[in-house]
C-alpha cells in the first residue's frame, strides 16, 4: 500500500464506524464535569469531520508547545497517546492519506512521545510503527512531512525492540539516503536524520547493518569539517560522530573504522579543532571513538604474574595462589576482542567518577543476626592462654622495680639475626668506571658489572664532624658534574671496610673495600672480588675530593632518624628479591617542607572534564598513526635479571631494587617519553598502584613524560589535583632532604592495554589505566626518586622504634615484643605503652592494671604509606613529655601493632602479603600459616575478650586513594538498617550511640578530619575486615577504620592543600588528644556535664535526613567509597565551637587554655 499524501479533503472515518452520536457524546462530557483536556480528547476521538480533526490538532499543537512538560503529562495521563495513534491508523486507510492530517498528527506525536514511557510499545502494538515507516519511504522528497516523521521515528527507536524491527524494515538504509555531504539547505532535517540514525544504531543488529557505511560517514564528516568553517553546524558534525561511536561498539565496526583510516581522519580533524573551545563536543566524541578503536594490546611482559615468587609451605588447594600457578603458561594474559566485552561508556567517559549510589544498597548487610555481636567465643580459653605473656602489665606488681632506673622492667626486642648478603649504601644505577674493568666471566652479560660488595657485618658508616677524619674516596666518573657540588661544608660519610687483618681503617690498603656510592656520585667498580691498587687509592685521595658524599645534618629536625642506625636495620630485613641496596631518601631521611603544597587546578585540555585527558590521549594515538616515530626501547627490565639493561647515555637509567621499591619495566617510546610497568604483588597477578623507583642520567630542562601503564583502579585523585612525589639527591646534599609534590600535565585515564579476565576476577573487557605526568629536571647528573606517596619502609619503622625507646622517660612504661614472624622471616613488633605507676602501693597498682585498653594497628596494606606516617605521629605523641601525653598514658594502656604487613612493605607490594591475599579480608578465619600477623593480632583481641578486658577503642589506620580529607568507617546496627528496607522493631535496633563520639571529637579539633565523609554502615563485602570482625566478634563498639587521604583536603584549615607528612603526623597526635577527651567525657563523674556531646541522636537523625544529598561510602572494593569529587562537607565540619567567653559553657568539651598550649607544644 502506498502512502503518498495529497491535499484532497475527505472524510477521515466512515459514519458506520462511529457508534456514538455527537449529541450523546456532548451530554456525557458535560455531565462528568470533565477538564478542558478531556473535552478536547473526547471531541477528537469522536468527531467525524476532517476539518474538525485538523482544527483540534492545531489547538493541541499550540497547547503542548506552550504548556511544556506538565501539560504533555496531563495529555498522556488522559490517554491522548492512544487516541493519536489510532488516528494515525485511521488516516493511513484513506487513499491517499491526507498530508495535512499526517503532518499534524506526527507533529503532536513528536512532542508527546518523549514524555510517554510506553510510547514505543503502544505504537508497535497499535501498528503505527509501520505506518510511519511507509509514510517516510513514500515521501523522501517531501521535506515538510519528512521532519515530523523522523522525529517520531527517533522516539520509536528508543525502544530496543522497535529499533530492531525498524532495522529489519530497512530504515537504517533509508537514513543513509537522507543524510549527505555539506549543504546549506535542509540542515534541520539532516540534524534530525542523524539523531534518528544514532538512536537506531544503539542496537548491535542495526550497527552490523551499518558497518558497510563507515567509509561514507567518515567522508561526510570530513566534508562537513572542511566546509563548516564558521562552525555553525556543530550539532550535525556531532551527530555524524555519534553514529560512528555507536557502530564502533561492535568488533566489526571497529575493524571497519580502522580499515577506512578512521584513526587518522579523526585525529587530524580533532587536532585542527583544539584551538576552538566551542568545538569541545566534537573533540570529546572523537577521542572516545579513537580510544575505543585503538587496538587492544597485552602488556609488554612475558607474564602478568609478579616477577618475584615466594614459595609457600602451605598452599590451599582452592586459594588464589594455587589458581595462579596452576594456570598454563601464556594463558594468564589473553586479550578479549569479543563484542560483549565492551564496558558501557557514558558520553562524558568520566571513568565511573559519578556512580549510582543507590546501587550500593545491594552490598549493605541485611541479615540482622550478622549485625549483632557474637555471644560465644570461637576459641577455648586454654588455647588463648599463651597470649598472656603479651599482657604482663595486667599482672605486674612492680615489687622489684626500681623507679629511678628508666630501663628496668622493659622487655627489649630480640635482636634479629644479621644477614650476610652484600649491601650498597646508598644506591643508584651503575655508571662505567674511569679505568677499564676486568673482563666479564664466560656466560655473563657484557655490561658493566656491579661493584664489589661489602659484607654487611664489616660495613661501617661514620660521620666526621670537623672534616678532619680519615676518609676514603671513590673513583669519579669522567664528566660527571655532581662531584663538583659535594664539598659544600656538610657532613661527610666514609664507608670503611675492615680488611682481613682487622682494624678500623688501619689495615693494608690493598685489602680495603672501596666506598660504594650512587651512580651519579661515584663509579661502581666491576668484577667479583676486584681490588683497587694502593697507588690508585692514594691518587684518588689526593685528587678527588669531590668523590665524598655529603649527608645533610638533619639530626635536629629529625630526632628519630639516623642513617647509621637505618643501615643496621636494613641488615636484618629479609626480602624476597634479597635487596642489596638502600635508597637515598630512606638513608638521608625526609624533612617536611615549610611551604604549603596546593592541590593542582585542572588544566584545560589535560584534565578537563567530558572527557578528560584529550591532549595525552592524542599523543598516545600518534603512536598508532606514526609508528616509525616510536623507539620502543627497553631500558630497564626485572624479568631479565641476569642481564640488566643499561645504555650509553641516550636514555634515562632506572632502578627499583631496594626496600619498598616497585618498578618492573621501563620502555623508552620517544626521546623524552617512557612507559613504565609496575610489578604485581608477590604471588599475585594484579594490585598495581604503588610505585617507588629511581631515575638518573637526566638532561636539565628536557620535557620528560612518564606513563605508568598498568594501574587498575577506575579513578584516582591524580585527576583531581594530586601530584606524584619526588626526592632529589642534589637538593638533599644542598640541605633540603625532602620529598616534594611535583609533576605537570598529570592525568589518569583508561588505556588500550587489555586486562585479562583472570586478573580481573572473571570480568571480561577490562582495561588498564595510565597515570601520566610530565617532569623537567633542574640539576645535571641528579639522582631522583619518584613515589606514589611518602615512602615509609619496614627498616624505617624499626629505626624509629629503637629511637623512641632511647627517648623513654622513667615515667613511661614501654615494652616492645615480637608478636610473630612473618612468612618472609621478618618480625612483627607489638608495642605496649602506658604510664608507670607512681608507687608500688595497692591503689596505684590497681589503677595501673585496670586502665582501659586502646588497640591500634596500621599498614595492613603496604601501598597506604600515609597510615604509617599517622602512626608515627601517634607513637611520638604517646612517647612525648608533654602533660597531655602523660595524662593520656595515665588514662589508657595502648597495645599497638604499627605494621601488620611487614613483608608486603619490604617487597614493594601494593595490597597483599606474601600469601598473595589481602590481609584485611582474612580477619574472620585467619590462617596461622598464611596470615600469621592477622591470626596472632586477632588472638590478642580474643584473649582480652575472654578475660573481660576488651578494648575501649580499636582503630586500624588506612589510606584512601579516591577521597579527600581524613575520616572514619565505623559499625552501627541502626544506621545499617536505615539504609535498607529491613523491617525491624525498635528493640531490635537498640544500640548505644557512643560509636559516634570519637569521630565527632576529631571533627571538632582536627582540621583535616571530615565528619561528613564518615560512614557507619556495615557491608557484606567488608564482613571479613578488621573493623567489622572486631566489632562483631570481640564486641568493641568503637571499632574503626581511620582513612587518610593520599591527596589533600577540600574543607577546613587545609582546604586546597595537598597533605604532607607534617599533617599526617599531626593527625596521629590529634587522634591521641581525642582519646584523652573521650576518656574525660565518658568518665562517670563528668558524663552528666558532657551529655550534650554524647547525645548524638539528633546529629544521627540529621545526617540520615541529609543522606539523599550526601553520598554514602559503602559498596566499594578496598575499603573505599566510590569516587565523588563534589561532596558536601558542610554537614558536620562547619560546626565550629562557640568561643564567646560570655556564652561558653563552663563544662564544655573544648580544651582549656593550658591544655591547648600543651597540645600545641607537643605537636611542635
Amino acid at each position: 500500500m502506498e502512502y503518498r499524501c495529497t491535499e484532497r479533503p475527505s472524510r477521515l472515518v466512515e459514519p458506520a464506524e462511529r457508534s456514538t452520536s455527537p449529541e450523546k457524546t456532548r451530554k456525557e462530557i458535560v455531565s462528568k464535569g470533565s477538564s478542558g483536556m478531556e473535552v478536547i480528547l473526547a471531541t477528537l476521538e469522536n468527531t467525524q469531520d476532517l476539518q474538525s480533526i485538523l482544527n483540534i490538532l492545531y489547538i493541541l499543537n499550540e497547547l503542548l508547545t506552550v504548556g511544556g512538560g506538565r501539560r504533555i503529562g496531563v495529555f498522556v495521563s488522559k490517554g491522548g497517546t492512544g487516541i493519536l495513534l489510532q488516528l494515525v491508523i485511521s488516516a493511513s486507510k484513506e487513499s491517499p492519506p491526507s498530508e495535512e492530517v499526517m503532518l499534524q498528527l506526527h507533529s503532536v506525536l513528536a512532542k508527546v512521545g518523549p514524555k510517554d514511557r510506553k510510547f514505543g510499545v503502544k505504537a508497535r502494538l497499535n501498528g503505527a510503527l509501520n505506518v510511519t515507516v511507509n509514510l517516510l519511504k513514500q515521501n523522501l522528497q517531501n521535506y515538510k512531512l519528512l521532519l515530523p516523521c523522523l522525529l517520531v521515528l527517533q522516539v520509536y527507536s528508543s525502544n530496543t525492540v522497535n529499533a530492531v524491527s525498524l532495522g529489519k524494515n530497512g530504515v537504517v538504509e533509508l537514513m543513509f539516503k537522507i543524510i549527505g555531504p555539506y549543504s546549506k539547505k535542509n540542515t534541520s532535517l539532516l540534524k534530525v536524520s542523524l539523531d534518528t540514525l544514532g538512536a537506531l544504531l544503539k542496537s548491535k543488529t542495526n550497527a552490523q547493518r551499518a558497518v558497510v557505511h563507515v567509509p561514507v560517514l567518515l567522508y561526510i564528516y570530513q566534508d562537513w569539517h572542511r566546509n563548516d568553517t564558521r562552525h555553525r553546524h556543530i550539532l550535525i558534525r556531532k551527530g555524524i560522530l555519534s553514529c560512528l561511536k555507536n557502530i564502533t561498539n561492535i568488533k566489526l565496526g571497529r575493524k571497519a573504522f580502522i580499515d577506512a583510516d578512521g584513526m587518522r581522519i579523526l585525529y587530524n580533524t580533532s587536532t585542527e579543532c583544539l584551538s576552538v573551545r566551542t568545538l569541545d563536543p566534537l573533540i570529546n566524541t572523537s577521542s572516545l571513538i579513537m580510544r575505543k578503536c585503538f587496538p587492544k594490546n597485552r602488556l609488554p611482559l612475558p607474564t602478568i604474574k609478579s616477577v618475584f615468587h615466594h614459595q609457600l609451605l602451605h598452599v590451599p588447594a582452592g586459594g588464589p595462589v594455587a589458581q595462579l600457578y596452576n594456570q598454563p603458561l601464556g594463558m594468564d594474559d589473553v586479550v578479549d576482542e569479543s563484542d560483549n566485552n565492551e564496558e558501557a561508556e557514558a558520553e562524558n567517559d568520566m571513568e565511573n567518577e559519578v556512580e549510582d549510589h543507590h546501587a550500593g544498597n545491594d552490598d549493605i548487610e541485611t541479615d540482622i543476626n550478622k549485625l549483632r555481636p557474637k555471644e560465644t567465643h570461637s576459641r577455648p580459653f586454654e588455647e588463648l592462654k599463651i597470649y598472656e605473656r603479651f599482657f604482663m602489665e595486667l599482672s605486674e606488681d612492680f615489687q622489684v622495680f626500681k623507679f629511678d632506673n628508666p630501663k628496668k622492667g622493659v622487655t627489649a626486642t630480640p635482636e634479629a639475626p644479621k644477614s650476610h648478603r652484600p649491601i650498597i649504601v646508598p644506591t643508584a644505577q651503575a655508571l662505567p668506571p674511569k679505568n677499564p674493568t676486568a673482563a666479564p666471566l664466560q656466560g655473563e652479560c657484557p655490561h658493566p658489572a656491579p661493584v664489589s660488595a661489602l659484607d654487611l657485618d664489616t660495613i661501617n658508616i661514620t660521620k666526621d664532624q670537623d672534616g678532619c677524619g680519615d676518609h676514603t674516596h671513590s673513583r669519579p666518573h669522567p664528566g660527571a658534574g655532581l662531584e663538583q657540588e659535594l664539598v659544600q661544608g656538610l657532613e661527610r660519610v666514609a664507608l670503611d671496610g675492615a680488611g682481613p687483618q682487622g682494624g678500623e681503617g688501619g689495615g693494608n690498603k690493598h685489602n680495603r673495600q672501596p666506598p660504594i656510592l650512587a651512580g651519579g656520585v661515584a663509579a661502581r667498580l666491576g668484577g667479583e672480588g676486584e681490588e683497587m691498587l694502593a697507588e690508585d687509592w692514594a691518587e684518588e685521595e689526593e685528587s678527588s675530593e669531590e668523590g665524598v658524599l655529603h649527608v645533610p645534618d638533619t639530626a635536629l629536625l629529625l630526632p628519630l632518624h639516623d642513617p647509621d642506625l637505618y643501615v643496621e636495620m636494613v641488615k636484618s630485613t629479609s626480602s624476597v628479591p634479597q635487596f642489596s641496596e638502600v635508597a637515598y631518601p630512606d638513608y638521608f631521611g625526609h624533612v617536611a617542607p615549610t611551604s604549603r603544597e596546593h592541590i593542582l587546578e585542572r588544566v584545560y585540555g589535560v584534565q578537563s572534564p567530558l572527557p578528560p585527558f584529550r591532549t595525552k590521549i592524542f599523543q598516545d594515538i600518534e603512536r598508532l598513526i606514526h609508528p616509525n616515530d616510536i623507539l620502543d626501547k627497553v631500558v630497564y627490565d626485572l624479568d631479565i635479571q641476569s642481564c640488566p639493561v643499561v645504555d650509553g647515555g641516550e636514555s634515562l637509567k632506572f632502578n627499583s631494587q631496594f626496600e619498598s621499591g616497585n618498578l618492573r619495566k621501563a620502555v623508552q617510546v620517544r626521546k623524552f617519553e617512557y612507559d613504565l610497568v609496575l610489578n604485581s604483588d608477590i604471588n599475585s597477578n594484579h594490585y598495581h598502584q604503588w610505585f617507588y623507583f629511581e631515575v638518573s642520567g637526566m638532561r636539565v630542562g628536557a620535557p620528560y613524560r612518564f606513563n605508568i601503564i598498568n594501574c587498575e583502579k577506575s579513578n584516582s585523585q591524580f585527576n583531581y589535583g594530586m601530584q606524584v612525589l619526588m626526592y632529589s639527591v642534589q637538593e638533599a646534599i644542598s640541605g633540603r632532604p625532602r620529598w616534594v609534590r611535583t609533576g605537570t600535565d598529570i592525568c589518569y585515564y583508561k588505556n588500550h592495554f587489555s586486562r585479562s579476565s583472570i586478573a580481573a576476577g572473571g570480568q571480561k573487557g577490562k582495561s588498564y589505566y595510565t597515570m601520566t605526568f610530565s617532569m623537567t629536571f633542574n640539576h645535571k647528573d641528579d639522582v631522583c626518586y619518584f613515589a606514589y606517596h611518602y615512602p615509609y619502609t619496614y627498616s624505617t619503622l624499626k629505626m624509629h622504634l629503637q629511637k623512641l625507646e632511647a627517648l623513654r622517660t622513667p615515667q613511661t612504661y614501654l615494652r616492645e615484643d615480637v608478636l610473630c614472624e612473618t612468612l618472609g622471616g621478618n618480625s612483627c613488633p607489638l608495642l605496649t605503652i602506658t604510664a608507670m605507676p607512681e608507687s608500688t602501693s595497692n591503689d596505684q597498682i590497681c589503677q595501673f592494671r585496670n586502665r582501659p585498653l586502646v588497640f591500634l594497628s596500621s599498614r595492613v596494606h603496604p601501598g597506604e604509606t600515609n597510615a604509617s606516617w599517622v602512626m608515627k605521629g601517634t607513637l611520638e605523641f604517646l612517647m612525648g613529655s608533654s602533660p597531655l601525653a602523660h595524662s593520656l598514658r595515665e588514662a589508657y594502656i595502648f597495645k599497638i601493632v604499627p605494621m601488620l604487613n611487614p613483608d608486603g612493605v619490604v617487597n614493594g607490594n601494593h595490597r597483599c602479603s606474601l600469601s598473595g591475599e589481602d590481609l584485611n579480608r582474612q580477619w574472620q578465619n585467619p590462617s596461622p600459616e598464611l596470615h600469621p600477623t592477622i591470626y596472632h593480632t586477632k588472638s590478642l583481641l580474643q584473649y582480652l575478650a575472654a578475660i573481660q578486658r576488651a578494648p575501649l577503642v580499636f582503630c586500624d589506620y588506612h589510606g584512601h586513594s579516591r577521597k579527600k580529607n581524613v575520616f572514619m568507617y565505623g559499625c552501627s546496627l541502626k544506621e545499617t538498617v536505615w539504609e535498607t528496607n529491613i523491617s525491624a522493631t525498635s528493640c531490635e535496633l537498640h544500640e548505644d550511640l557512643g560509636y559516634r563520639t570519637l569521630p565527632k571529637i576529631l571533627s571538632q579539633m582536627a582540621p583535616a578530619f571530615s565528619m561528613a565523609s564518615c560512614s557507619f554502615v556495615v557491608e557484606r563485602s567488608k564482613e571479613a575486615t578488621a573493623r567489622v570482625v572486631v566489632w562483631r566478634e570481640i564486641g568493641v563498639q568503637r571499632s574503626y577504620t581511620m582513612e587518610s587521604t593520599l591527596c589533600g583536603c577540600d574543607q577546613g584549615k587545609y582546604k586546597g592543600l595537598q597533605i604532607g607528612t607534617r599533617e599526617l603526623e599531626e593527625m596521629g597526635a590529634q587522634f591521641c588528644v581525642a582519646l584523652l577527651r573521650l576518656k574525660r567525657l565518658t568518665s562517670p563523674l563528668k558524663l552528666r556535664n558532657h551529655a550534650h556531646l554524647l547525645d548524638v541522636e539528633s546529629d544521627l537523625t540529621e545526617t540520615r535526613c541529609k543522606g539523599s544529598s550526601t553520598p554514602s561510602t559503602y559498596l566499594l572494593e578496598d575499603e573505599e567509597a566510590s569516587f565523588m569529587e563534589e561532596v558536601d562537607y558542610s554537614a558536620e565540619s562547619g560546626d565550629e565551637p562557640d568561643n564567646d567567653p560570655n556564652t561558653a559553657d563552663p563544662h564544655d568539651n573544648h580544651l582549656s587554655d593550658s591544655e591547648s598550649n600543651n597540645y600545641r607544644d607537643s605537636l611542635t
Side-chain angles (χ1 to χ4, degrees), residues 539-550:
E539 178 183 348
E540 286 298 318
E541 292 188 351
E542 292 176 3
S543 61
S544 300
E545 177 67 27
E546 65 272 17
V548 179
L549 174 67
H550 293 80

Side-chain angles (χ1 to χ4, degrees), residues 396-410:
E396 177 69 69
D397 57 13
F398 294 94
Q399 295 303 315
V400 296
F401 185 84
K402 296 181 180 180
F403 284 88
D404 57 347
N405 184 356
K407 302 298 181 183
K408 182 68 175 177
V410 178

Side-chain angles (χ1 to χ4, degrees), residues 395-403 408 836-837 839-846 849:
S395 57
E396 177 69 69
D397 57 13
F398 294 94
Q399 295 303 315
V400 296
F401 185 84
K402 296 181 180 180
F403 284 88
K408 182 68 175 177
M836 295 292 295
S839 67
T840 57
S841 67
N842 289 336
D843 290 344
Q844 289 293 327
I845 298 299
C846 182
R849 294 178 179 176

Side-chain angles (χ1 to χ4, degrees), residues 34 133 295 401 432 661 755 843 871 874 1081 1111:
S34 303
V133 172
F401 185 84
R755 188 178 173 197
D843 290 344
M871 178 58 75
T874 295
L1081 294 175

Side-chain angles (χ1 to χ4, degrees), residues 732-776:
I733 63 176
S734 299
R736 295 178 292 276
R738 61 177 59 107
W739 288 97
V740 295
R741 301 276 188 171
T742 190
T744 58
D745 297 342
I746 302 173
C747 49
Y748 188 96
Y749 59 92
K750 187 189 298 182
N751 60 34
H752 62 279
F753 290 104
S754 179
R755 188 178 173 197
S756 170
S757 60
I758 296 172
Q763 301 181 63
K764 293 185 176 181
K766 292 288 185 179
S767 295
Y768 286 104
Y769 291 78
T770 291
M771 195 288 286
T772 178
F773 65 97
S774 298
M775 183 69 207
T776 301

Side-chain angles (χ1 to χ4, degrees), residues 589-838:
H590 161 73
V591 178
T594 55
S595 59
R596 301 296 188 186
E597 297 175 302
H598 292 269
I599 293 175
L600 286 186
E601 296 182 3
R602 296 194 193 188
V603 180
Y604 181 77
V606 178
Q607 295 171 315
S608 62
L610 308 177
F613 334 125
R614 63 190 187 197
T615 303
K616 299 286 186 178
I617 291 168
F618 287 165
Q619 292 175 7
D620 291 346
I621 292 170
E622 286 178 2
R623 300 189 191 187
L624 184 66
I625 299 173
H626 307 295
N628 294 332
D629 296 341
I630 303 304
L631 300 176
D632 201 24
K633 176 182 178 183
V634 178
V635 297
Y636 180 73
D637 194 349
L638 285 182
D639 287 286
I640 314 177
Q641 298 185 40
S642 61
C643 184
V645 178
V646 296
D647 185 77
E650 294 298 321
S651 305
L652 291 176
K653 300 175 181 63
F654 294 85
N655 183 29
S656 62
Q657 299 186 66
F658 45 82
E659 187 174 348
S660 295
N662 191 318
L663 178 67
R664 180 171 184 170
K665 189 172 186 176
V667 181
Q668 186 177 15
V669 293
R670 295 185 178 94
K671 185 175 182 180
F672 298 116
E673 182 177 355
Y674 294 82
D675 281 353
L676 309 179
V677 184
L678 304 181
N679 190 31
S680 57
D681 287 3
I682 293 178
N683 282 339
S684 171
N685 58 9
H686 56 305
Y687 298 119
H688 309 95
Q689 205 78 20
W690 166 257
F691 57 87
Y692 182 19
F693 58 88
E694 171 196 292
V695 176
S696 59
M698 64 283 292
R699 296 186 182 181
V700 176
Y704 288 96
R705 176 185 171 185
F706 300 96
N707 311 308
I708 299 175
I709 62 174
N710 63 332
C711 299
E712 293 178 356
K713 289 185 181 292
S714 60
N715 208 341
S716 169
Q717 282 288 328
F718 282 120
N719 279 338
Y720 303 97
M722 187 169 83
Q723 294 176 281
V724 297
L725 284 149
M726 187 191 77
Y727 193 106
S728 165
V729 174
Q730 280 276 23
E731 291 291 317
I733 63 176
S734 299
R736 295 178 292 276
R738 61 177 59 107
W739 288 97
V740 295
R741 301 276 188 171
T742 190
T744 58
D745 297 342
I746 302 173
C747 49
Y748 188 96
Y749 59 92
K750 187 189 298 182
N751 60 34
H752 62 279
F753 290 104
S754 179
R755 188 178 173 197
S756 170
S757 60
I758 296 172
Q763 301 181 63
K764 293 185 176 181
K766 292 288 185 179
S767 295
Y768 286 104
Y769 291 78
T770 291
M771 195 288 286
T772 178
F773 65 97
S774 298
M775 183 69 207
T776 301
F777 297 98
N778 299 322
H779 302 289
K780 183 182 179 182
D781 295 326
D782 200 356
V783 178
C784 294
Y785 293 77
F786 292 97
Y788 181 59
H789 199 66
Y790 299 94
Y792 191 102
T793 67
Y794 173 63
S795 297
T796 299
L797 171 68
K798 293 193 294 182
M799 174 187 67
H800 285 165
L801 294 183
Q802 283 211 17
K803 297 288 284 186
L804 282 173
E805 200 279 333
L807 297 175
R808 189 177 65 84
T809 63
Q811 293 77 31
T812 303
Y813 181 99
L814 169 66
R815 191 176 72 252
E816 180 180 346
D817 298 304
V818 175
L819 176 62
C820 62
E821 189 174 85
T822 66
L823 296 179
N826 294 298
S827 60
C828 179
L830 169 68
L831 304 180
T832 304
I833 302 176
T834 188
M836 295 292 295
E838 295 181 3

Side-chain angles (χ1 to χ4, degrees), residues 18 20-22 25 29 41-49 83:
R18 304 287 186 177
T20 305
S21 66
T25 301
I29 293 174
L41 291 176
T43 305
L44 180 63
E45 183 180 17
N46 292 283
T47 185
Q48 302 178 20
D49 182 63
I83 295 173

